[in-house]
Amino acid sequence: MATNPLSSPAAGRTPNPKATPSPSTRRSAADAASAAAAAAASDTKARFEAYNRLQAAAVAFGEKLPIPEIVAIGGQSDGKSSLLEALLGFRFNVREVEMGTRRPLVLQMVHDPTALDPRCRFQEEDSEEYGNPMVLASAIADLIKQRTESHLRKIQAAVSSKPIVMRAEYAHCPNLTIIDTPGFVLKKGEPETTPDEILSMVKSLASPPHRLILFLQQSSVEWCSSLWLDSIREIDPTFRRTMIVISKFDNRLKEFTERWEVDSYLSASGYLGDNIHPFFVALPKDRGTISNEEFRRQICQVDIDVLRHLRDGVKGGFNEDKYGPYIGFSCLRKYLESELQKRYKEAAPATLALLEQRCSDVSMDLSRLDSKLLATSDVSQLRRSAMLHAASICTHLRALLDGAADPAPEIWGKTTEEEQMHSGIGSWPGISVHVKPPNSSLKLYGGAAFERVMHEFRCATYSMECPQVSREKVANILLAHAGRGGSSGMTEAAAEIARAAARSWLAPLTETACDRLAFVLQSLFDLAMERSRNDDSRYQNVENMDGYVGFLAALRCSYYKFVRDLSKQCKQIVRHHLDSVTSPYSHICYESDFLSGIGSVANSFHRFNHITGVASFDLSDSGSAMEEAQENVPPKDHQQMTPPAKANESRDILKESQLTVPETPSPDLPADMHAGKKKDNGNINDGGPRKRHARMAAYTNRNHHNNVTAGADDLGSKSGSSYSSICSISAQYFAKMREVLIERNVPSALNSGFLTPCRERLFLALGFELFAVNDDKFMDMFVAPGAVDAIQNERQSLLKRQKILLSCLSEFKNISRTL
């Protein structure tokens, strides 16, 4: 704030002649003052150059350094571009290229008294190097436009937060660095999301606390109706690091006639607070082609005209003591330069400490890359580390199968529904009901999940009944057995139907069980990797293998292949058990406990096999009354051919069979369980097929005449009775085969086929595939084609970065000594 010299305590005093310095003393003092000023200017410039170089390095390498910077924010037509040109001291048509609407522009202004013409250099993309100096203003504007369009086309976006860095050296510009941002309001023709993207980007650029905010707003906008002031409050609520600039101030001057109007506007009507003083700036409106010198002269003339109008054009003038330091471009320029230098000086110690930390981090990264390069030549060390890592993974896999709760099952486990979804295996084939085993809602893994799948397999299998068989299939099987002769056609037909159903419906269930169990085992690899990372008690000397992506991928593939092979072998073993159980030579269906459990149906079959021939049954489902009455009735000529004696004999035999309960077949008998001789009341009956046919014919003849038969109620009353009996017996055969598979064969086969190999020979299988190879093939897992070159390039980039940071560190150490 300007002060009145008359208010100083020394005003009005008579000078003491004895205290008057001599001319030589005055010259010495002047020389000393000049030297001090020169030294201060030199320190300021050195500090500014050091921060400029550090800023260039930060942009090139993507460093997040808390460098004091000024971020210019405002609307697209609020005069940011004109202000930047005024600070530079020359025009380069920045408004025409609309650079601020696409990418930020970092303007590094360097005051160089020797640069009578502006020298502008652009930092190369993704490099800390600067290009050749450019003098023509049109070339500067064209390069900005070209880089902006090329970068946006490359990333397929409308805006980008990656800045363009321009260094301007000129005798008429201050030592100042400003980041120009895209304007808040865009012209028509932009994508709908672009305004939101720009607002988000500007907020991210202005949010870091080490950056000063230069907010521009047109003078025609009232304080209470500012569009973007609320956005600034979100970034800096107290305006502690915000400088507010009212642009195009000359447009508002003609509205002021009284002093109170001017002072009220300059004070922001109390809207910003008593400690916040905005700057009021007006710049030349002439956009014609003029020289740089004329441009600077016009800037000064506008400042003079504004002050003259406030003093002379307004009745009573304005409070110049309070608001004078904030009116005019020259005041804003001095304030920005002094404020930035003050921030540079305050931030120097913290910047020095941060540079030391960054240099240390880069050195560690270089050491890491050197170790990688060394490891590519030390095959034996890599083999040892890889084998120890594989052994650790196998150990953790065994622990997970034996039962473990680390890592947390709530995070790493899966429910039954999640297992089905992630494995791609939905419901069990052929099962229409929803199978929900116990603990299905719990998140399990490892051995617990394995046992849950086994139990789910049992539930799914027992929920399946013997499938319905068509009459045509039953007739084809039954009549074929009848054609071979023998008395056990019905039982053999039922057994054959059960075997076919078991092979057809149980095989898909066993294969699905193998696939589900394989998925459970494969899911354990990620858990074993997590346990290996967190395990600091065992294998403490094992090298961290996380960086060797190729080896970890090969290890994972080998383990998955091992589990797939186990699944394939288990499917073959279980299929062998199924074939054995459903073989015609299997005695499962003829065990004594099973045959005695069949009960009355077996007795009916026993009677049927001794009463009538299989070929005389009609298994069609016509069901008409006439067919029912004619069922199993022999031709009339057969009735006339039957002798009375034979009829009586047949009736006697039938009566005996009705009165005598058939013996339970012995389990020692062959598959034809009714085929031998049968003893009835002490008499031996020959059960040959020819004799039974004769008796059946006689019995049928008698039944035709007397309308009375004992066996008709069991098998001959309806055409569907024999079909139902066969289906009933085949269902019991199917249940017996299923029970033998599920309770005896399959569980032991799956446990020994999956779990035992994982516990006993997993590491041997992985080691044989991964390590039993020559060095060249082994190194392919660690050194991909071109990987060494990539590491070398990364190392060269780090060396370059280290060199720049060390140079900046040295400069800041020198700066800190002068503070």
Side-chain angles (χ1 to χ4, degrees):
M1 182 180 297
T3 58
N4 189 346
L6 296 178
S7 63
S8 62
R13 293 180 183 177
T14 303
N16 186 358
K18 295 182 180 180
T20 302
S22 63
S24 60
T25 303
R26 287 196 298 269
R27 284 194 300 269
S28 300
D31 293 341
S34 299
S42 177
D43 292 341
T44 299
K45 185 175 181 179
R47 189 162 49 244
F48 181 76
E49 288 288 354
Y51 272 107
N52 271 356
R53 275 190 287 273
L54 185 59
Q55 187 181 52
V59 172
F61 298 113
E63 293 277 2
K64 301 297 183 182
L65 299 176
I67 303 172
E69 296 165 325
I70 298 175
V71 181
I73 297 176
Q76 198 173 36
S77 58
D78 285 342
K80 287 192 294 85
S81 301
S82 298
L83 178 62
L84 293 178
E85 289 181 337
L87 289 171
L88 286 168
F90 67 94
R91 284 177 171 172
F92 59 94
N93 299 323
V94 64
R95 299 203 308 181
E96 278 70 13
V97 299
E98 296 182 355
M99 60 178 179
T101 62
R102 294 296 181 268
R103 292 178 65 180
L105 177 68
V106 179
L107 283 175
Q108 296 178 340
M109 308 176 203
V110 180
H111 176 68
D112 185 358
T114 64
L116 301 180
D117 293 320
R119 295 192 300 263
C120 297
R121 294 186 297 161
F122 285 87
Q123 184 178 346
E124 300 295 340
E125 301 277 18
D126 303 320
S127 173
E128 80 283 359
E129 300 293 337
Y130 286 85
N132 297 325
M134 305 177 67
V135 178
L136 295 177
S138 59
I140 296 172
D142 291 341
L143 183 58
I144 292 174
K145 185 175 182 180
Q146 174 188 345
R147 287 198 175 186
T148 300
E149 293 177 349
S150 175
H151 177 68
L152 295 179
R153 187 165 49 251
K154 179 180 179 181
I155 65 173
Q156 297 292 316
V159 294
S160 172
S161 60
K162 185 176 182 180
I164 298 173
V165 180
M166 186 182 84
R167 178 183 174 90
E169 300 170 355
Y170 196 28
H172 302 283
C173 72
N175 288 318
L176 195 64
T177 298
I178 292 183
I179 302 175
D180 184 31
T181 61
F184 284 127
V185 180
L186 293 179
K187 295 180 181 179
K188 296 181 179 179
E190 299 293 343
E192 294 181 359
T193 58
T194 301
D196 294 334
E197 292 176 1
I198 289 179
L199 180 60
S200 176
M201 182 181 70
V202 170
K203 285 183 176 181
S204 66
L205 290 173
S207 294
H210 61 271
R211 287 179 172 169
L212 301 175
I213 301 173
L214 183 65
F215 172 62
L216 277 78
Q217 179 176 276
Q218 293 188 51
S219 62
S220 58
V221 178
E222 299 296 335
W223 293 110
C224 60
S225 59
S226 174
L227 292 175
W228 308 115
L229 199 57
D230 291 338
S231 298
I232 300 301
R233 289 184 188 275
E234 294 178 8
I235 302 172
D236 184 20
T238 61
F239 298 114
R240 184 182 60 85
R241 54 188 181 92
T242 301
M243 297 167 287
I244 300 176
V245 177
I246 304 303
S247 62
K248 304 179 182 179
F249 183 51
D250 51 340
N251 293 337
R252 191 69 182 255
L253 290 177
K254 57 185 178 181
E255 300 180 8
F256 302 134
T257 58
E258 300 287 340
R259 175 177 178 135
W260 68 269
E261 294 176 339
V262 178
D263 291 345
S264 176
Y265 180 78
L266 296 178
S267 66
S269 303
Y271 192 78
L272 300 178
D274 296 335
N275 297 325
I276 307 300
H277 297 286
F279 286 88
F280 301 88
V281 176
L283 294 172
K285 292 183 171 59
D286 183 12
R287 299 302 300 177
T289 302
I290 57 175
S291 64
N292 294 334
E293 184 177 358
E294 176 63 20
F295 177 57
R296 294 190 299 271
R297 190 196 66 79
Q298 289 182 4
I299 293 175
C300 295
Q301 186 62 43
V302 171
D303 283 350
I304 295 172
D305 294 340
V306 168
L307 287 173
R308 183 186 297 116
H309 181 83
L310 290 175
R311 291 167 181 162
D312 302 335
V314 177
K315 185 178 180 180
F318 71 106
N319 191 346
E320 191 167 353
D321 291 340
K322 184 175 182 180
Y323 301 113
Y326 303 101
I327 295 177
F329 169 77
S330 59
C331 294
L332 175 63
R333 170 177 164 165
K334 291 177 182 178
Y335 179 81
L336 291 176
E337 192 172 8
S338 63
E339 185 67 18
L340 189 60
Q341 288 299 328
K342 185 181 75 172
R343 298 295 179 110
Y344 281 164
K345 188 174 181 179
E346 293 173 352
T351 304
L352 177 63
L354 184 60
L355 280 173
E356 290 177 344
Q357 179 62 40
R358 293 298 170 87
C359 289
S360 176
D361 293 342
V362 172
S363 298
M364 293 179 61
D365 290 340
L366 281 172
S367 299
R368 177 180 55 83
L369 291 180
D370 290 338
S371 299
K372 277 191 173 183
L373 290 174
L374 180 63
T376 57
S377 58
D378 191 355
V379 182
S380 60
Q381 176 62 27
L382 270 181
R383 282 184 178 273
R384 177 181 178 277
S385 300
M387 292 181 70
L388 288 176
H389 184 76
S392 174
I393 295 298
C394 293
T395 300
H396 289 301
L397 284 170
R398 286 195 296 270
L400 291 168
L401 289 175
D402 293 339
D406 179 36
E410 297 83 1
I411 300 175
W412 294 86
K414 292 183 178 65
T415 63
T416 297
E417 184 178 355
E418 290 173 343
E419 282 182 5
Q420 293 175 348
M421 179 177 63
H422 294 164
S423 64
I425 305 172
S427 60
W428 295 87
I431 305 299
S432 58
V433 298
H434 179 64
V435 180
K436 188 176 182 181
N439 304 315
S440 61
S441 60
L442 297 181
K443 290 180 175 291
L444 305 180
Y445 58 65
F450 189 94
E451 289 301 321
R452 183 174 63 184
V453 173
M454 291 290 295
H455 195 84
E456 184 183 357
F457 168 64
R458 291 190 183 94
C459 294
T461 309
Y462 278 117
S463 66
M464 172 182 287
E465 300 295 336
C466 183
Q468 190 73 19
V469 184
S470 66
R471 294 174 183 269
E472 287 77 7
K473 290 183 179 180
V474 173
N476 275 276
I477 297 174
L478 182 61
L479 296 177
H481 279 282
R484 302 179 199 147
S487 60
S488 58
M490 292 282 284
T491 56
E492 286 298 333
E496 183 60 32
I497 292 171
R499 293 188 195 103
R503 284 191 293 265
S504 175
W505 292 92
L506 295 182
L509 290 176
T510 58
E511 292 187 357
T512 301
C514 292
D515 292 336
R516 285 282 303 279
L517 293 174
F519 173 76
V520 170
L521 295 182
Q522 288 180 342
S523 301
L524 295 182
F525 186 84
D526 290 327
L527 280 81
M529 289 287 293
E530 182 68 16
R531 284 172 60 95
S532 180
R533 295 188 190 100
N534 299 332
D535 187 14
D536 53 0
S537 59
R538 301 183 64 182
Y539 303 107
Q540 293 183 357
N541 297 324
V542 176
E543 180 183 353
N544 184 6
M545 305 296 289
D546 287 347
Y548 298 106
V549 180
F551 167 70
L552 295 179
L555 180 61
R556 180 187 296 269
C557 290
S558 297
Y559 174 69
Y560 284 2
K561 180 177 179 296
F562 178 77
V563 174
R564 286 196 300 269
D565 291 342
L566 292 183
S567 177
K568 184 178 179 180
Q569 295 170 9
C570 286
K571 288 180 180 179
Q572 294 175 350
I573 294 173
V574 172
R575 183 69 190 194
H576 172 72
H577 285 299
L578 179 61
D579 292 341
S580 299
V581 169
T582 58
S583 170
Y585 303 100
S586 174
H587 290 273
I588 290 176
C589 296
Y590 309 112
E591 295 176 357
S592 59
D593 57 342
F594 174 67
L595 292 175
S596 61
I598 294 180
S600 62
V601 179
N603 293 334
S604 299
F605 268 19
H606 176 80
R607 292 194 303 271
F608 173 79
N609 287 331
H610 285 270
I611 293 173
T612 183
V614 175
S616 65
F617 270 151
D618 178 15
L619 297 177
S620 63
D621 55 355
S622 57
S624 63
M626 183 177 296
E627 290 173 343
E628 186 174 336
Q630 294 177 353
E631 186 177 17
N632 298 331
V633 177
K636 294 181 179 181
D637 54 347
H638 284 194
Q639 299 174 17
Q640 298 172 357
M641 292 171 61
T642 304
K646 292 291 182 180
N648 295 334
E649 180 183 353
S650 176
R651 181 173 57 184
D652 294 339
I653 293 175
L654 288 173
K655 287 181 180 179
E656 290 176 359
S657 64
Q658 287 174 318
L659 296 174
T660 304
V661 178
E663 294 181 357
T664 301
S666 171
D668 298 328
L669 292 175
D672 293 338
M673 63 178 184
H674 304 299
K677 295 181 180 180
K678 175 178 174 299
K679 185 181 293 184
D680 290 334
N681 294 333
N683 299 325
I684 299 177
N685 297 328
D686 187 1
R690 185 179 301 275
K691 194 167 185 178
R692 284 199 300 272
H693 263 290
R695 292 176 179 175
M696 184 63 192
Y699 169 72
T700 305
N701 187 27
R702 181 174 184 134
N703 178 39
H704 177 72
H705 288 285
N706 299 330
N707 260 343
V708 177
T709 177
D713 293 337
D714 292 333
L715 297 173
S717 61
K718 291 184 179 181
S719 62
S721 59
S722 56
Y723 170 74
S724 303
S725 300
I726 292 176
C727 290
S728 176
I729 291 296
S730 64
Q732 296 185 57
Y733 285 158
F734 177 85
K736 181 63 177 178
M737 297 175 187
R738 178 182 61 189
E739 179 185 358
V740 172
L741 279 173
I742 304 309
E743 300 300 335
R744 303 182 191 178
N745 299 341
V746 174
S748 60
L750 294 181
N751 276 282
S752 61
F754 278 113
L755 299 182
T756 302
C758 286
R759 292 189 177 104
E760 296 180 357
R761 54 186 178 90
L762 174 60
F763 178 68
L764 180 63
L766 297 182
F768 182 80
E769 183 169 350
L770 296 177
F771 307 120
V773 293
N774 57 38
D775 289 346
D776 292 338
K777 188 173 182 180
F778 175 78
M779 289 304 297
D780 287 343
M781 294 185 293
F782 296 89
V783 182
V788 175
D789 294 338
I791 295 176
Q792 290 284 9
N793 293 336
E794 184 179 358
R795 184 175 181 275
Q796 291 299 322
S797 177
L798 280 177
L799 286 174
K800 207 171 187 180
R801 179 179 171 189
Q802 184 186 47
K803 182 180 178 180
I804 295 293
L805 291 177
L806 288 175
S807 175
C808 293
L809 177 63
S810 177
E811 286 185 282
F812 273 89
K813 283 183 177 179
N814 294 331
I815 292 172
S816 299
R817 295 189 187 102
T818 62
L819 295 178

